[in-house]
Amino acid sequence: MCKAFIFDLDGVITDTAELHFQAWDRLCQEQGWYFDREINEQLRGVSRQDSLKIILNAREVDEETFERSLKQKNDYYLELLGGITNKDILPGIETLLLELNAKGIKVALASASKNARSILHKLGLTALFDAIGDGWSVNRSKPAPDVFIHAAGQVGVNVNECVVVEDAEAGVEAARSAGMKVIGIGPQERVGQADWVVPSTELVTLSLINTTP
């Protein structure tokens, strides 16, 4: 029986992927680092620190430059994020959250983003979540299962009674490692290891998890 739904943020609740791309692209152009959309796909569901390591591709930079670049990217991202509203909630998600609340099923967020609370607030969804796990909650980011285990603990539900909603390969791997069932949103080649695979958020429903994975 499902007692909790645990949601990723980017690409599941709202699509900030393009904003992340624009922020990283601006930083890389300034620094003279190569960056394109193919590299950006590798950053889906990955922490900011690990994303920068992927972009650098073994290129060595001093610690000061590394930390300054992380902050600069986040500043650019927050600047772009300023205009986000509840109109940016992905299709079907608010309806699902309201249904879960009405049925007494716990709802938690498990995101690598350190801006997760701010984004939920801008979307007007904070009140629909019982717990928030974000980039400040655990040391190891996805594909480690830590943030999902943390979120389950926050709502007091066993891992085998949780369903995760994810759109990233790293997130699907993390959820499965935590011992949770997973709904994957996106193409088979990216989220094919999920228990259920759907092409869009509006197909994520309670009835879906009653079908055999």
Side-chain angles (χ1 to χ4, degrees):
M1 181 181 174
C2 172
K3 293 185 177 179
F5 260 65
I6 303 178
F7 292 84
D8 179 36
L9 178 63
D10 293 338
V12 174
I13 302 295
T14 187
D15 193 358
T16 57
E18 181 62 23
L19 305 186
H20 281 294
F21 171 77
Q22 291 176 24
W24 281 122
D25 188 53
R26 181 175 172 184
L27 173 71
C28 290
Q29 286 191 44
E30 290 173 354
Q31 295 291 339
W33 299 333
Y34 181 75
F35 184 68
D36 60 16
R37 291 192 178 274
E38 188 174 338
I39 295 172
N40 190 61
E41 272 298 301
Q42 298 175 45
L43 313 185
R44 190 181 288 267
V46 178
S47 70
R48 200 184 316 155
Q49 289 86 345
D50 289 341
S51 292
L52 183 52
K53 289 175 185 176
I54 290 170
I55 291 169
L56 290 172
N57 192 26
R59 184 189 294 107
E60 291 189 11
V61 298
D62 58 66
E63 186 175 348
E64 184 183 349
T65 300
F66 189 88
E67 293 299 325
R68 186 175 64 248
S69 297
L70 291 177
K71 182 181 183 306
Q72 190 65 72
K73 183 269 173 181
N74 195 48
D75 287 346
Y76 292 154
Y77 175 66
L78 291 176
E79 184 181 319
L80 292 165
L81 200 60
I84 198 170
T85 70
N86 63 346
K87 293 179 181 178
D88 296 297
I89 300 170
L90 287 172
I93 291 298
E94 188 169 13
T95 300
L96 175 60
L97 291 172
L98 289 167
E99 183 181 4
L100 293 171
N101 276 244
K103 291 181 181 288
I105 297 172
K106 295 294 185 181
V107 177
L109 190 79
S111 170
S113 173
K114 290 184 175 180
N115 300 302
R117 291 175 186 273
S118 172
I119 294 170
L120 280 187
H121 178 71
K122 286 176 179 292
L123 295 172
L125 294 178
T126 304
L128 299 181
F129 282 81
D130 298 294
I132 297 173
D134 58 17
W136 301 103
S137 303
V138 295
N139 292 323
R140 297 194 305 167
S141 60
K142 304 168 190 177
D146 302 28
V147 72
F148 289 120
I149 294 170
H150 171 81
Q154 289 295 103
V155 294
V157 174
N158 294 328
V159 293
N160 62 350
E161 297 173 314
C162 297
V163 172
V164 168
V165 187
E166 261 288 354
D167 77 315
E169 183 178 359
V172 171
E173 182 183 339
R176 288 177 62 87
S177 295
M180 300 176 180
K181 295 287 188 183
V182 195
I183 299 171
I185 302 169
Q188 190 77 25
E189 58 268 23
R190 192 173 76 219
V191 295
Q193 294 304 307
D195 298 282
W196 303 273
V197 176
V198 294
S200 65
T201 55
E202 56 198 328
L203 297 176
V204 181
T205 61
L206 269 177
S207 59
L208 176 67
I209 65 171
N210 293 324
T211 62
T212 303

